[in-house]
Amino acid sequence: MERRRVRYPAYWDKYFIIYANMLFAVIKSFDDPQYKAYNPTAVESAWYAWWEKEGFFIPKFKEDGKVHDEGSFVIVEPPPNVTGNLHMGHALGNALIDLMIRYNRMHGKTTLWLPGCDHAGISTQSVVENMLWRREQKTRHDLGRTKFVETVWDWKNEYHQKINNVFRRTGCSFDWTREAFTMNENFSAAVTETFVRLHDEGIIYRANRLVNWCTKLNTALSNLEVVNKELAGRTLLDVPGYDKKVEFGIIVHFKYEIEGTDEKIEIATTRPETMLGDTGVAVHPDDKRYKHLVGKNAIHPFIPGRLMPIVADDYVEKEFGTGAVKITPAHDPNDFALGTRHNLEFINILTDDGKMNENAGPYVGQKRFDVRYTIQEDLKKAGLYVDKKDNAMTVPLCEKSKDVIEPLMKPQWWMKMKDMAAAALDVVKTGEIKILPETAEKSYIRWMENVNDWCLSRQLWWGHQAPMYFAQIYGEESDEADGKLWFAGRTQEEAEAKARKALPGKNFTLKRDEDVLDTWFSSGLWPFATMGWPNQTHDLETLFPTSVLETGWDILFFWIARMVMFSLKLTGKVPFTEVYCHSLIRDSEGRKMSKSLGNVIDPLDVIEGIALEDLHKKLLFGNLNPIEVERATKYQKSAFPEGIPQCGTDALRFALVSYTTGGGDIAFDIKVIHGYRKFCNKIYQATKYVLGKLDNDFVPQKTAKLTGKESLAERWILHKMTIAARDINQAINDREFMRSTSIIYQYWYNQLCDVYIENSKAIIQDGTSEIDTLYTALEGALTMIHPYMPFLTEELWQRLPRRPNDKTPSIVLAKYPVYEASMDDPASEEAYELVLGISKGIRSLMAEYSLKDEGKGTIPCCPTFHHLTDKQI
């Protein structure tokens, strides 16, 4: 290593033994072949390990355990699912969070970014089940619950490590000593505590009602996990488990015979197979066509002995369709209400895997959508079929499996939402929590004002098992739908004690509920459970509530709303004071990036670069549907015909932040990111040039204050620097991230590099000294851009000589530039830009008349111009 190129502050001498091996491995001479030009791999290879080893990311407290006088800044990482590798959406969010974290750390605040992962019940179980089937043609039932859960833990451990490796590669300044997982010991205790406490208060209750049922995953879902697909008319859709596409967007008209008469009543349905669960027909009470039929029974043509009462109800629209509505109370939300009002029979006709059960008569054992076709043929044979027409409709799909959702009656655990939602709504309306952008806040308010009770139960094996125990009383028939025979317990012993008190003199056995809880139940506890709740910890006392939650707007209701509700209920505090919802990254065709589409971009592929052929190969290693593999391959060919070039972490981060407007979604463009790699090279070469001009014994001034001897050009660049510092601080605090990147880009590229450094070359070569200003301008530029480009700035900052008595070991802890009023000099700015304008004009004239410069440099580098006084101008 050349001492001339790498300078250490004098105080490092006594720490030499500690730092020597590490820093000699990290800082290489610019004469080293791999350091002559900007090389992201070389620059990014070792700094993170050093940062982590030195504990720079661990929050620092005062001696009394309180936060620093500057305050605290705390963010909990939106926990990625352990379903697979990270994607560009994670990279975007983390670039923004790390920008805010590093920025506030450099402002001297007690700063924490707490990392962690989510177990992602449905998603992870689904991924592992798909993997098992494709690799071994086995289902989870072949393994059994214990072995299957062990397999999921193996998957979790593998991908959790991969996720953490990407976090480190992308420079995320996490405090790894506080890493959390939604199924670790403390978090599981928090989930149990929450459930038991809310059940004992009556907020969580048992009810047998319609749920959204996914026959592919065999579990109930909340309304938020259902995607409603709009159809304009007849459409054939792929449905899991069917070789041929299934017909939707139609309405079938048929007739029921009326008992004791020769009459028939015509009805229409978009789900003809559900007529096997019909238990009534409804008409409007004022409809003259059917008044004489009210009170009579319709006869089911395929279920012997089933009579269906004809009832009058205002719900029916006389003018819509035939004016008569079939009622299937156990398979439709609206029919559920009708069936309840008129005391109709609730008959379930489906098994959990979507086949007809014994209540479906001759159709038992057949698949639901096969029956959709056969029942129409049977209606024709019976002379009851009327017609089939196109019909605009909405088809509910499982977000995870893409299966068509079936409403089914299931006894489940539910949570009352009205009161908790009202409290969560109030803190946003009063400004205690600020949600950005404004559109996200409006969506939050609209949803909270219309919230429904939350179905908590999931029929999975991976997740937090409900801490509920059913008391089976000896010698008695006990219904598990009866909430009075279920007892909550942090332990089985606690549940047993509650049961004995409620069932005096009864002999019973306790059986724990096999269902697990919705993933978002545990995720809703994330901000405070990660701080140690329900225990009273130092972190909970000093670092909670957290400062900002940064996440995508698409989980506003899944996660953000529930965190606010739980936090207010369980801690009495808001979980955070600000929410910033970033845009979603879409592919170059405008589609949301999704693992199921194969259009997800791995951040490591952008950082390191990857050939098109290798991109294709990666599609084969996941659980992607073979049909989607073909489509994804075509997309990759069109989007990345030459593969993805190496961009490096710093360019990726800067590009992602520069994309962020807080408005519409982002269209991914690799050319933009690669363009910022060239910007990184500009920074690298400019710093390399300046360092090459510093004498070996150069010691910068003690502070960056003005000396009063600065030339016009110096005053100009220092003015630009302090204005950039003022504006970038304002932009970051206002969450105007795109604007902040524009400010620092302009200062670095257009002002420092293209004007000041370029024009300084002739001055330095002539022996004039502007080195201190050059040093100050460069130091300010590096620290200003550090939160965006942590690796490159550390690499270059470490090569700068330190100011006297500056013992800062890393740019991570350096002071962030702030506005300095003494440098704000608009008069010098105006004067020097007049000079630049004159220079530009002369250069244009010389080019126009093909004149050559006979001096030592080009006109804008002329020392005379560079040192003109205000009076001379």
PDB file of all heavy atoms in Angstrom, residues 506-526:
ATOM      1  N   LYS A 506     -68.232 -31.625  36.241  1.00  0.00           N
ATOM      2  CA  LYS A 506     -68.186 -32.330  34.963  1.00  0.00           C
ATOM      3  C   LYS A 506     -66.822 -32.977  34.759  1.00  0.00           C
ATOM      4  O   LYS A 506     -65.787 -32.436  35.141  1.00  0.00           O
ATOM      5  CB  LYS A 506     -68.435 -31.356  33.801  1.00  0.00           C
ATOM      6  CG  LYS A 506     -69.779 -30.646  33.848  1.00  0.00           C
ATOM      7  CD  LYS A 506     -70.905 -31.541  33.379  1.00  0.00           C
ATOM      8  CE  LYS A 506     -72.199 -30.755  33.258  1.00  0.00           C
ATOM      9  NZ  LYS A 506     -73.312 -31.607  32.776  1.00  0.00           N
ATOM     10  N   ASN A 507     -66.831 -34.160  34.148  1.00  0.00           N
ATOM     11  CA  ASN A 507     -65.586 -34.792  33.738  1.00  0.00           C
ATOM     12  C   ASN A 507     -65.383 -34.538  32.246  1.00  0.00           C
ATOM     13  O   ASN A 507     -66.301 -34.725  31.449  1.00  0.00           O
ATOM     14  CB  ASN A 507     -65.629 -36.302  34.002  1.00  0.00           C
ATOM     15  CG  ASN A 507     -65.627 -36.612  35.484  1.00  0.00           C
ATOM     16  OD1 ASN A 507     -64.942 -35.950  36.254  1.00  0.00           O
ATOM     17  ND2 ASN A 507     -66.411 -37.604  35.895  1.00  0.00           N
ATOM     18  N   PHE A 508     -64.189 -34.122  31.887  1.00  0.00           N
ATOM     19  CA  PHE A 508     -63.949 -33.753  30.493  1.00  0.00           C
ATOM     20  C   PHE A 508     -62.481 -33.982  30.146  1.00  0.00           C
ATOM     21  O   PHE A 508     -61.629 -34.167  31.029  1.00  0.00           O
ATOM     22  CB  PHE A 508     -64.297 -32.278  30.261  1.00  0.00           C
ATOM     23  CG  PHE A 508     -63.558 -31.324  31.160  1.00  0.00           C
ATOM     24  CD1 PHE A 508     -62.268 -30.884  30.842  1.00  0.00           C
ATOM     25  CD2 PHE A 508     -64.132 -30.870  32.345  1.00  0.00           C
ATOM     26  CE1 PHE A 508     -61.586 -30.026  31.671  1.00  0.00           C
ATOM     27  CE2 PHE A 508     -63.451 -30.016  33.184  1.00  0.00           C
ATOM     28  CZ  PHE A 508     -62.173 -29.588  32.848  1.00  0.00           C
ATOM     29  N   THR A 509     -62.224 -33.993  28.872  1.00  0.00           N
ATOM     30  CA  THR A 509     -60.844 -33.978  28.379  1.00  0.00           C
ATOM     31  C   THR A 509     -60.675 -32.729  27.518  1.00  0.00           C
ATOM     32  O   THR A 509     -61.626 -32.262  26.879  1.00  0.00           O
ATOM     33  CB  THR A 509     -60.536 -35.221  27.523  1.00  0.00           C
ATOM     34  OG1 THR A 509     -61.469 -35.280  26.429  1.00  0.00           O
ATOM     35  CG2 THR A 509     -60.625 -36.492  28.352  1.00  0.00           C
ATOM     36  N   LEU A 510     -59.468 -32.191  27.505  1.00  0.00           N
ATOM     37  CA  LEU A 510     -59.172 -31.016  26.707  1.00  0.00           C
ATOM     38  C   LEU A 510     -58.433 -31.407  25.431  1.00  0.00           C
ATOM     39  O   LEU A 510     -57.513 -32.222  25.467  1.00  0.00           O
ATOM     40  CB  LEU A 510     -58.313 -30.016  27.493  1.00  0.00           C
ATOM     41  CG  LEU A 510     -58.991 -29.237  28.618  1.00  0.00           C
ATOM     42  CD1 LEU A 510     -57.999 -28.228  29.207  1.00  0.00           C
ATOM     43  CD2 LEU A 510     -60.237 -28.512  28.142  1.00  0.00           C
ATOM     44  N   LYS A 511     -58.865 -30.827  24.338  1.00  0.00           N
ATOM     45  CA  LYS A 511     -58.204 -31.036  23.050  1.00  0.00           C
ATOM     46  C   LYS A 511     -57.861 -29.671  22.469  1.00  0.00           C
ATOM     47  O   LYS A 511     -58.740 -28.816  22.334  1.00  0.00           O
ATOM     48  CB  LYS A 511     -59.114 -31.813  22.094  1.00  0.00           C
ATOM     49  CG  LYS A 511     -58.471 -32.080  20.734  1.00  0.00           C
ATOM     50  CD  LYS A 511     -59.437 -32.780  19.788  1.00  0.00           C
ATOM     51  CE  LYS A 511     -60.511 -31.815  19.302  1.00  0.00           C
ATOM     52  NZ  LYS A 511     -61.355 -32.390  18.212  1.00  0.00           N
ATOM     53  N   ARG A 512     -56.596 -29.482  22.112  1.00  0.00           N
ATOM     54  CA  ARG A 512     -56.195 -28.175  21.580  1.00  0.00           C
ATOM     55  C   ARG A 512     -56.666 -28.025  20.134  1.00  0.00           C
ATOM     56  O   ARG A 512     -56.651 -28.986  19.350  1.00  0.00           O
ATOM     57  CB  ARG A 512     -54.678 -27.998  21.645  1.00  0.00           C
ATOM     58  CG  ARG A 512     -54.235 -26.599  21.232  1.00  0.00           C
ATOM     59  CD  ARG A 512     -52.794 -26.317  21.557  1.00  0.00           C
ATOM     60  NE  ARG A 512     -52.446 -24.943  21.193  1.00  0.00           N
ATOM     61  CZ  ARG A 512     -51.258 -24.374  21.427  1.00  0.00           C
ATOM     62  NH1 ARG A 512     -50.306 -25.072  22.037  1.00  0.00           N
ATOM     63  NH2 ARG A 512     -51.037 -23.122  21.070  1.00  0.00           N
ATOM     64  N   ASP A 513     -57.062 -26.827  19.796  1.00  0.00           N
ATOM     65  CA  ASP A 513     -57.458 -26.519  18.425  1.00  0.00           C
ATOM     66  C   ASP A 513     -56.267 -26.755  17.500  1.00  0.00           C
ATOM     67  O   ASP A 513     -55.154 -26.290  17.771  1.00  0.00           O
ATOM     68  CB  ASP A 513     -57.911 -25.054  18.343  1.00  0.00           C
ATOM     69  CG  ASP A 513     -58.562 -24.716  17.020  1.00  0.00           C
ATOM     70  OD1 ASP A 513     -58.619 -25.585  16.132  1.00  0.00           O
ATOM     71  OD2 ASP A 513     -59.011 -23.562  16.869  1.00  0.00           O
ATOM     72  N   GLU A 514     -56.497 -27.474  16.403  1.00  0.00           N
ATOM     73  CA  GLU A 514     -55.414 -27.752  15.461  1.00  0.00           C
ATOM     74  C   GLU A 514     -55.142 -26.577  14.521  1.00  0.00           C
ATOM     75  O   GLU A 514     -54.089 -26.517  13.893  1.00  0.00           O
ATOM     76  CB  GLU A 514     -55.746 -29.002  14.639  1.00  0.00           C
ATOM     77  CG  GLU A 514     -55.757 -30.282  15.452  1.00  0.00           C
ATOM     78  CD  GLU A 514     -55.926 -31.513  14.587  1.00  0.00           C
ATOM     79  OE1 GLU A 514     -56.152 -31.349  13.362  1.00  0.00           O
ATOM     80  OE2 GLU A 514     -55.825 -32.628  15.119  1.00  0.00           O
ATOM     81  N   ASP A 515     -56.086 -25.665  14.409  1.00  0.00           N
ATOM     82  CA  ASP A 515     -55.909 -24.535  13.491  1.00  0.00           C
ATOM     83  C   ASP A 515     -54.807 -23.598  13.975  1.00  0.00           C
ATOM     84  O   ASP A 515     -54.527 -23.501  15.180  1.00  0.00           O
ATOM     85  CB  ASP A 515     -57.209 -23.734  13.373  1.00  0.00           C
ATOM     86  CG  ASP A 515     -58.271 -24.473  12.577  1.00  0.00           C
ATOM     87  OD1 ASP A 515     -57.957 -25.555  12.038  1.00  0.00           O
ATOM     88  OD2 ASP A 515     -59.407 -23.980  12.509  1.00  0.00           O
ATOM     89  N   VAL A 516     -54.204 -22.912  13.004  1.00  0.00           N
ATOM     90  CA  VAL A 516     -53.239 -21.868  13.331  1.00  0.00           C
ATOM     91  C   VAL A 516     -53.886 -20.521  13.041  1.00  0.00           C
ATOM     92  O   VAL A 516     -54.998 -20.439  12.504  1.00  0.00           O
ATOM     93  CB  VAL A 516     -51.922 -22.025  12.539  1.00  0.00           C
ATOM     94  CG1 VAL A 516     -51.285 -23.374  12.811  1.00  0.00           C
ATOM     95  CG2 VAL A 516     -52.147 -21.826  11.046  1.00  0.00           C
ATOM     96  N   LEU A 517     -53.176 -19.461  13.392  1.00  0.00           N
ATOM     97  CA  LEU A 517     -53.721 -18.115  13.247  1.00  0.00           C
ATOM     98  C   LEU A 517     -53.257 -17.469  11.950  1.00  0.00           C
ATOM     99  O   LEU A 517     -52.166 -17.761  11.448  1.00  0.00           O
ATOM    100  CB  LEU A 517     -53.295 -17.252  14.436  1.00  0.00           C
ATOM    101  CG  LEU A 517     -53.694 -17.781  15.812  1.00  0.00           C
ATOM    102  CD1 LEU A 517     -53.157 -16.866  16.907  1.00  0.00           C
ATOM    103  CD2 LEU A 517     -55.208 -17.910  15.918  1.00  0.00           C
ATOM    104  N   ASP A 518     -54.093 -16.594  11.449  1.00  0.00           N
ATOM    105  CA  ASP A 518     -53.729 -15.792  10.286  1.00  0.00           C
ATOM    106  C   ASP A 518     -52.361 -15.146  10.538  1.00  0.00           C
ATOM    107  O   ASP A 518     -52.102 -14.608  11.612  1.00  0.00           O
ATOM    108  CB  ASP A 518     -54.793 -14.709  10.080  1.00  0.00           C
ATOM    109  CG  ASP A 518     -54.528 -13.832   8.872  1.00  0.00           C
ATOM    110  OD1 ASP A 518     -53.556 -14.083   8.131  1.00  0.00           O
ATOM    111  OD2 ASP A 518     -55.302 -12.873   8.675  1.00  0.00           O
ATOM    112  N   THR A 519     -51.497 -15.206   9.538  1.00  0.00           N
ATOM    113  CA  THR A 519     -50.147 -14.640   9.661  1.00  0.00           C
ATOM    114  C   THR A 519     -50.176 -13.186  10.098  1.00  0.00           C
ATOM    115  O   THR A 519     -49.317 -12.738  10.866  1.00  0.00           O
ATOM    116  CB  THR A 519     -49.413 -14.743   8.308  1.00  0.00           C
ATOM    117  OG1 THR A 519     -49.261 -16.113   7.967  1.00  0.00           O
ATOM    118  CG2 THR A 519     -48.053 -14.088   8.369  1.00  0.00           C
ATOM    119  N   TRP A 520     -51.173 -12.437   9.622  1.00  0.00           N
ATOM    120  CA  TRP A 520     -51.207 -11.010   9.935  1.00  0.00           C
ATOM    121  C   TRP A 520     -51.551 -10.757  11.394  1.00  0.00           C
ATOM    122  O   TRP A 520     -51.348  -9.640  11.890  1.00  0.00           O
ATOM    123  CB  TRP A 520     -52.198 -10.300   9.007  1.00  0.00           C
ATOM    124  CG  TRP A 520     -51.787 -10.428   7.571  1.00  0.00           C
ATOM    125  CD1 TRP A 520     -52.329 -11.247   6.628  1.00  0.00           C
ATOM    126  CD2 TRP A 520     -50.711  -9.742   6.912  1.00  0.00           C
ATOM    127  NE1 TRP A 520     -51.671 -11.105   5.433  1.00  0.00           N
ATOM    128  CE2 TRP A 520     -50.675 -10.189   5.575  1.00  0.00           C
ATOM    129  CE3 TRP A 520     -49.782  -8.781   7.322  1.00  0.00           C
ATOM    130  CZ2 TRP A 520     -49.753  -9.718   4.645  1.00  0.00           C
ATOM    131  CZ3 TRP A 520     -48.858  -8.310   6.404  1.00  0.00           C
ATOM    132  CH2 TRP A 520     -48.845  -8.774   5.086  1.00  0.00           C
ATOM    133  N   PHE A 521     -52.056 -11.767  12.096  1.00  0.00           N
ATOM    134  CA  PHE A 521     -52.295 -11.617  13.538  1.00  0.00           C
ATOM    135  C   PHE A 521     -50.969 -11.428  14.258  1.00  0.00           C
ATOM    136  O   PHE A 521     -50.809 -10.527  15.081  1.00  0.00           O
ATOM    137  CB  PHE A 521     -53.040 -12.845  14.073  1.00  0.00           C
ATOM    138  CG  PHE A 521     -53.451 -12.727  15.519  1.00  0.00           C
ATOM    139  CD1 PHE A 521     -54.672 -12.149  15.856  1.00  0.00           C
ATOM    140  CD2 PHE A 521     -52.635 -13.189  16.535  1.00  0.00           C
ATOM    141  CE1 PHE A 521     -55.064 -12.034  17.183  1.00  0.00           C
ATOM    142  CE2 PHE A 521     -53.011 -13.082  17.869  1.00  0.00           C
ATOM    143  CZ  PHE A 521     -54.229 -12.505  18.193  1.00  0.00           C
ATOM    144  N   SER A 522     -50.003 -12.282  13.952  1.00  0.00           N
ATOM    145  CA  SER A 522     -48.688 -12.145  14.587  1.00  0.00           C
ATOM    146  C   SER A 522     -47.940 -10.935  14.038  1.00  0.00           C
ATOM    147  O   SER A 522     -47.285 -10.195  14.777  1.00  0.00           O
ATOM    148  CB  SER A 522     -47.861 -13.418  14.401  1.00  0.00           C
ATOM    149  OG  SER A 522     -47.811 -13.807  13.038  1.00  0.00           O
ATOM    150  N   SER A 523     -48.048 -10.706  12.717  1.00  0.00           N
ATOM    151  CA  SER A 523     -47.361  -9.560  12.121  1.00  0.00           C
ATOM    152  C   SER A 523     -47.867  -8.242  12.693  1.00  0.00           C
ATOM    153  O   SER A 523     -47.129  -7.256  12.741  1.00  0.00           O
ATOM    154  CB  SER A 523     -47.553  -9.552  10.606  1.00  0.00           C
ATOM    155  OG  SER A 523     -47.019 -10.711  10.018  1.00  0.00           O
ATOM    156  N   GLY A 524     -49.121  -8.228  13.130  1.00  0.00           N
ATOM    157  CA  GLY A 524     -49.683  -7.012  13.708  1.00  0.00           C
ATOM    158  C   GLY A 524     -49.023  -6.606  15.006  1.00  0.00           C
ATOM    159  O   GLY A 524     -49.152  -5.461  15.451  1.00  0.00           O
ATOM    160  N   LEU A 525     -48.306  -7.538  15.643  1.00  0.00           N
ATOM    161  CA  LEU A 525     -47.618  -7.246  16.909  1.00  0.00           C
ATOM    162  C   LEU A 525     -46.168  -6.814  16.692  1.00  0.00           C
ATOM    163  O   LEU A 525     -45.450  -6.522  17.649  1.00  0.00           O
ATOM    164  CB  LEU A 525     -47.620  -8.503  17.801  1.00  0.00           C
ATOM    165  CG  LEU A 525     -48.944  -9.249  17.955  1.00  0.00           C
ATOM    166  CD1 LEU A 525     -48.759 -10.472  18.857  1.00  0.00           C
ATOM    167  CD2 LEU A 525     -50.022  -8.342  18.513  1.00  0.00           C
ATOM    168  N   TRP A 526     -45.741  -6.775  15.441  1.00  0.00           N
ATOM    169  CA  TRP A 526     -44.329  -6.613  15.092  1.00  0.00           C
ATOM    170  C   TRP A 526     -43.632  -5.428  15.754  1.00  0.00           C
ATOM    171  O   TRP A 526     -42.542  -5.586  16.317  1.00  0.00           O
ATOM    172  CB  TRP A 526     -44.208  -6.539  13.566  1.00  0.00           C
ATOM    173  CG  TRP A 526     -42.832  -6.522  13.014  1.00  0.00           C
ATOM    174  CD1 TRP A 526     -42.186  -5.470  12.442  1.00  0.00           C
ATOM    175  CD2 TRP A 526     -41.899  -7.615  12.969  1.00  0.00           C
ATOM    176  NE1 TRP A 526     -40.931  -5.826  12.028  1.00  0.00           N
ATOM    177  CE2 TRP A 526     -40.729  -7.143  12.344  1.00  0.00           C
ATOM    178  CE3 TRP A 526     -41.946  -8.943  13.393  1.00  0.00           C
ATOM    179  CZ2 TRP A 526     -39.612  -7.947  12.128  1.00  0.00           C
ATOM    180  CZ3 TRP A 526     -40.830  -9.749  13.177  1.00  0.00           C
ATOM    181  CH2 TRP A 526     -39.687  -9.252  12.559  1.00  0.00           C
TER     182      TRP A 526
END
